[in-house]
Amino acid sequence: MQIDGILQLIGLILYEAILAFFMGAFFPMEKHKKGYLFLALTPLALMIMFHSSIVGNDSMVYWRLFNTIQSQSIHEVLQNTRFEHGYLLFNWIVGRFTTNPQWIFIIIGTFVIASADWWLNKYIEAPGLFCVLLVEMLMIDSWISVARQTFVIG
């Protein structure tokens, strides 16, 4: 990870921490919880939904899969044994409405963030620390992937 990536991570962590502090999300929230969750999860949602095909270990594979599936019949799609049939079917259905593979990330990101929002709103009384740690865990996962790839290549 380069310096600009580390600065972006620090900026995002500071955003989450300052937002949680000023909205009182480090303590049990009775008011403004939905507003806080919207503001806290929006940057994460944008990162999930609108990342490039070259970001992440498998994004390009999913991008190519979507482009390949568009020209296939449902029978040909389900012959693929490398991917789960539900994911293949999902790609095939989305491919009937659009030719842009970014929509796969947008739909999946919407579902993931909506699920996280529902779960945080229902079960977590003070979601501030969780949201800050979520950002940090996402970055640590990226660092581990980079370290693993460096080890394999080196």
Side-chain angles (χ1 to χ4, degrees), residues 131-151:
C131 289
V132 172
L133 291 175
L134 181 62
V135 170
E136 293 173 5
M137 287 187 299
L138 289 171
M139 289 311 296
I140 288 171
D141 178 56
S142 297
W143 288 343
I144 291 171
S145 295
V146 169
R148 187 182 71 230
Q149 289 175 359
T150 303
F151 180 71

Side-chain angles (χ1 to χ4, degrees), residues 18-150:
I18 291 168
L19 179 68
F21 177 76
F22 282 112
M23 293 194 74
F26 289 125
F27 304 101
M29 297 182 79
E30 295 175 15
K31 297 168 64 176
H32 310 295
K33 189 175 183 181
K34 289 185 180 191
Y36 165 73
L37 289 174
F38 176 79
L39 293 173
L41 295 176
T42 295
L44 299 174
L46 294 174
M47 288 169 50
I48 292 170
M49 291 187 233
F50 298 106
H51 72 275
S52 171
S53 64
I54 60 172
V55 173
N57 296 334
D58 298 333
S59 297
M60 186 58 80
V61 173
Y62 297 133
W63 201 273
R64 284 189 202 124
L65 175 69
F66 180 82
N67 288 329
T68 302
I69 285 177
Q70 284 184 330
S71 62
Q72 296 179 340
S73 70
I74 189 69
H75 181 69
E76 292 171 321
V77 168
L78 295 178
Q79 295 271 324
N80 187 332
T81 58
R82 182 172 177 210
F83 295 95
E84 293 143 355
H85 287 196
Y87 184 71
L88 293 169
L89 185 60
F90 170 69
N91 273 270
W92 186 80
I93 291 170
V94 172
R96 299 297 151 236
F97 295 101
T98 181
T99 59
N100 186 350
Q102 191 71 46
W103 279 100
I104 294 293
F105 297 127
I106 293 170
I107 293 168
I108 291 172
T110 300
F111 178 76
V112 167
I113 293 299
S115 300
D117 180 62
W118 175 83
W119 186 79
L120 288 167
N121 198 30
K122 184 169 182 165
Y123 294 110
I124 306 294
E125 290 184 21
L129 185 59
F130 182 88
C131 289
V132 172
L133 291 175
L134 181 62
V135 170
E136 293 173 5
M137 287 187 299
L138 289 171
M139 289 311 296
I140 288 171
D141 178 56
S142 297
W143 288 343
I144 291 171
S145 295
V146 169
R148 187 182 71 230
Q149 289 175 359
T150 303

